[in-house]
Amino acid sequence: RGQAQKAGGAEAAVGGGAADAGDEEDEPDEAQLEALRDLLVASDGTVLIAELVHQLGTAAHGASTRAACARCLLALATKPEHRGTVIAQGGFRAALDLANGPGRDFGDAPGAPPRPA
């Protein structure tokens, strides 16, 4: 009984629960995304992504992680004023590693052999 109450309280705290089960998820506001992008660039978020890409190395697995990192780098570099900071934090090297590493084509099926260069 105690665990069920805790779980129900946690769902209610984050806005979930049975009442919201059929509702569509709200898309984030563009202003919220812009604020998050500014915060990530200002707080060295690119360094974290670059380190994650480096840790992936040449492993063929993790194509979805590599694709997510590529999308994140692209999102951080959409504002021209952020591009210098993203490059200084290692985003360019990470993007090169993603572009030249295994699983370059993110549309390949998991476990597919690498495409010839």
Side-chain angles (χ1 to χ4, degrees):
R1 179 173 176 238
Q3 292 291 355
Q5 287 177 336
K6 288 179 187 177
E11 284 181 6
V14 295
D20 293 334
D23 296 346
E24 291 183 21
E25 206 172 298
D26 291 333
E27 289 293 319
D29 185 18
E30 187 62 36
Q32 289 174 328
L33 292 175
E34 192 65 33
L36 179 60
R37 187 177 298 130
D38 292 341
L39 177 67
L40 285 173
V41 171
S43 62
D44 298 336
T46 309
V47 174
L48 176 67
I49 298 165
E51 182 61 27
L52 182 60
V53 170
H54 177 71
Q55 292 296 324
L56 288 171
T58 59
H61 67 282
S64 61
T65 304
R66 296 174 68 84
C69 288
R71 285 191 300 272
C72 190
L73 285 171
L74 178 64
L76 290 177
T78 54
K79 280 180 84 173
E81 55 267 20
H82 288 168
R83 291 179 188 156
T85 307
V86 169
I87 289 170
Q89 293 176 359
F92 185 71
R93 176 66 187 176
L96 284 176
D97 288 344
L98 289 168
N100 294 321
R104 290 187 296 273
D105 185 4
F106 296 127
D108 286 345
R115 293 181 176 216

